[in-house]
Amino acid sequence: MSGIVLFDGECNLCNRAVDFIIRYDRKKHYQFASLQSDLGILLKKEFGLSDDLDSIVVIEHNQAFIKSDAAMQIIPKLSVYWQPLRVLKFLPKLVRERMYEWIARNRLRWFGEKDTCRLPKPEERDRFLS
């Protein structure tokens, strides 16, 4: 494992995204922590990210990627069936960001939110950082 995904642990869409990554990241490239966790708060501070950031964050190669750039980091590590999504990288960043922000703005209304952060299943515990 060499990357970390920070996610909003109270957002249903974000939790589904984590489930999706776990399912299709068969080489277990990523580990996970919620943005609300002590580690999430520490990593946001370490990489100079805003305290109120609610985007997915991917940390790889000592660099933090947010929003659509984070998604573009994840796609190459997914199983072969998802590789066609790599073409999204060729969209202008402004277009990708606008699409990401539109979904992010509506995610709680469309998918709801949890009262507490996601807890890993026993078979997933090695993928989650405290």
Side-chain angles (χ1 to χ4, degrees):
M1 291 186 228
S2 62
I4 298 172
V5 174
L6 300 178
F7 66 99
D8 181 349
E10 297 170 356
C11 164
N12 285 333
L13 176 60
C14 304
N15 283 289
R16 288 181 190 166
V18 168
D19 290 340
F20 179 85
I21 296 166
I22 288 171
R23 181 173 180 188
Y24 293 107
D25 174 20
R26 298 216 171 108
K27 293 184 180 178
K28 298 184 176 185
H29 183 81
Y30 290 111
Q31 290 183 291
F32 304 90
S34 75
L35 290 164
Q36 297 87 351
S37 69
D38 291 341
L39 179 61
I41 293 166
L42 179 72
L43 288 170
K44 284 190 293 184
K45 181 180 272 192
E46 181 179 329
F47 286 93
L49 302 172
S50 171
D51 287 339
D52 61 352
L53 176 74
D54 64 355
S55 165
I56 191 168
V57 178
V58 172
I59 299 172
E60 287 183 304
H61 313 294
N62 204 29
Q63 189 175 1
F65 301 89
I66 62 171
K67 298 184 179 181
S68 69
D69 286 339
M72 294 299 100
Q73 288 296 118
I74 293 168
I75 291 170
K77 282 78 171 189
L78 301 177
S79 65
V80 68
Y81 303 108
W82 299 102
Q83 294 311 300
L85 292 176
R86 293 173 88 168
V87 301
L88 295 173
K89 181 102 175 163
F90 296 106
L91 287 175
K93 184 172 178 172
L94 180 63
V95 172
R96 282 190 288 125
E97 291 298 297
R98 293 264 168 94
M99 288 171 41
Y100 183 95
E101 290 166 359
W102 177 69
I103 293 168
R105 262 193 320 274
N106 293 291
R107 66 192 164 99
L108 297 179
R109 184 171 35 143
W110 292 342
F111 298 95
E113 63 184 311
K114 297 178 179 289
D115 292 331
T116 60
C117 287
R118 178 193 196 282
L119 296 174
K121 298 172 192 163
E123 65 272 14
E124 300 171 338
R125 284 199 181 119
D126 65 327
R127 305 275 311 265
F128 284 80
L129 305 168
S130 47

